[in-house]
């Protein structure tokens, strides 16, 4: 149990308190140290070295870029970087920094040694990005005063800080920005043993008794992602609570886990509704592909960025989808998983999207 577990001692029958409890649960679940952080052993080792070297030399750690799909622990790692070094943490995000002035206001108010976390850093305004280059390198920014011919730039010294940037799309970062990070961590999907560890820890904090095979079933269906693992566990907790008449001693067994996950539309491979809509669209509307990302996004009614950053990495990883220069293509494993034959696809191509 971590310190945050005490926050969970709330009355779950009160709807307001229950949602507070869910939030408290999210917060309490975040590991507070690298030792508590499950999996990503390579990244953990690299970060540990970087932080230890900075501590020995009594300087701020180098800037760190965390890259990888959503829910793998980027925010958690940023918090750990601050916590391990006993440094304050300022949190912001790319979409919130739409002008250089927004960034100047944040940078100029940092205290020495502060960790600045910018989530979705690839979505920051270009003018702010340019200001960040100088800030990262020299701990200095140039502020423009006045307008037109009379405008002058006034240098402003900043307190030394560590920037931790997070991105689901490292490829979108301009090279000058990427090069100014002292270390880039690429977070990978978690394997099932690691997810079982995450789930067992979370179940303990939630006070949920759960069988080993039931934990393994959730681990196999959470797309290699701790955030999804924790979310599914909460639904299993709800299901167990309701189907045992609210008994405190209820146990989540394999049967209950399967029933809960089926109810919430999570299939045996962990595909959810959006994953399935994407795959079925490729299989039925486009005969298995190739199909371009934008065409696919319009057909599914979802943002191209969401498909590229959230849906595709997992589908590629489990071998249902490949990316080719001509577009996305379903693999033979995808045809098998969806119980379809390539020849049948043209017949079904006339189906409207709602029928998928
Ligand atoms: N290695 C881990 N061990 C235990 N729990 C983890 C781990 N990584 C993530 N989690 C849990 O998963 C949840 C999501 O993690 P986090 O918010 O850090 O992901 P993220 O990569 O920042 O996601 P996003 O890109 O969507 O912001 C958190 O509740 C956290 O407790």
């Amino acid at each position: 149990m971590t310190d945050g577990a005490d926050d969970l001692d709330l009355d779950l029958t009160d709807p307001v308190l229950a949602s507070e409890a869910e939030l408290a649960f999210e917060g309490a679940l975040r590991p507070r140290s690298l030792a508590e952080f499950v999996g990503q052993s390579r990244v953990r080792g690299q970060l540990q070295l970087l932080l230890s070297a900075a501590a020995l030399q009594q300087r701020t750690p180098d800037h760190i870029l965390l890259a990888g799909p959503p829910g793998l622990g980027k925010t958690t790692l940023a918090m750990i970087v601050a916590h391990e070094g006993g440094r304050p943490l300022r949190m912001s995000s790319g979409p919130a920094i739409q002008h250089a002035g927004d960034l100047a206001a944040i940078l100029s108010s940092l205290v020495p040694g502060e960790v600045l976390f910018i989530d979705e850093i690839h979505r920051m305004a270009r003018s702010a990005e340019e200001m960040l280059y100088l800030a990262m390198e020299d701990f200095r920014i140039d502020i423009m005063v006045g307008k037109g011919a009379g405008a002058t730039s006034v240098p402003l010294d900043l307190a030394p800080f560590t920037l931790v940037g997070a991105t689901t799309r490292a490829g979108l970062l301009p090279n000058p920005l990427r090069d100014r990070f002292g270390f880039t961590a690429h977070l990978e999907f978690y394997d099932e043993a690691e997810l079982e560890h995450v789930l067992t820890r979370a179940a303990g904090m939630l006070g949920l008794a759960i069988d080993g095979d039931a934990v393994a079933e959730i681990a196999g269906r959470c797309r290699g992602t701790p955030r999804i693992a924790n979310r599914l566990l909460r639904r299993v907790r709800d299901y167990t609570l309701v189907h045992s008449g609210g008994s405190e001693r209820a146990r989540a067994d394999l049967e209950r886990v399967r029933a809960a996950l089926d109810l919430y539309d999570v299939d045996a491979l962990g595909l959810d509704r959006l994953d399935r809509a994407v795959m079925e669209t490729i299989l039925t509307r486009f005969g298995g592909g190739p199909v371009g990302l934008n065409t696919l996004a319009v057909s599914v009614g979802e943002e191209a960025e969401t498909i590229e950053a959230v849906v595709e990495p997992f589908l590629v990883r489990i071998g249902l989808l490949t990316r080719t220069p001509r577009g996305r293509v379903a693999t033979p494993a995808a045809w098998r998983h969806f119980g379809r034959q390539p020849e049948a696809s043209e017949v079904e191509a006339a189906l409207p999207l709602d029928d998928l």
Side-chain angles (χ1 to χ4, degrees), residues 65-207:
L65 181 64
L66 303 171
L72 299 190
K74 297 185 292 297
T75 307
T76 306
L77 280 175
M79 290 175 166
I80 289 175
V81 166
H83 190 250
E84 292 247 325
R87 297 169 186 279
L89 174 69
R90 181 82 59 95
M91 301 186 74
S92 187
S93 73
I97 302 175
Q98 282 314 306
H99 306 281
D102 298 335
L103 183 64
I106 297 173
L107 291 172
S108 59
S109 62
L110 292 176
V111 299
E114 192 155 1
V115 174
L116 170 61
F117 175 58
I118 304 184
D119 201 3
E120 296 187 78
I121 193 166
H122 60 275
R123 295 178 63 188
M124 202 168 54
R126 186 47 58 98
S127 57
E129 252 168 37
E130 280 159 17
M131 173 177 277
L132 200 52
Y133 299 160
L134 194 58
M136 289 170 79
E137 210 153 80
D138 294 342
F139 299 124
R140 183 167 67 84
I141 53 177
D142 288 330
I143 302 210
M144 292 305 289
V145 181
K147 281 191 174 166
T152 45
S153 112
V154 179
L156 179 70
D157 287 333
L158 305 174
F161 66 97
T162 297
L163 175 66
V164 180
T167 181
T168 49
R169 310 199 45 203
L172 286 189
L173 286 187
N175 282 339
L177 180 55
R178 221 178 6 224
D179 292 347
R180 282 171 169 81
F181 287 97
F183 166 57
T184 298
H186 293 278
L187 300 194
E188 307 288 344
F189 287 109
Y190 292 67
D191 65 30
E192 291 192 11
E194 291 164 346
L195 290 163
E196 285 183 29
H197 191 147
V198 169
L199 283 161
T200 305
R201 174 175 175 269
M205 295 174 74
L206 202 55

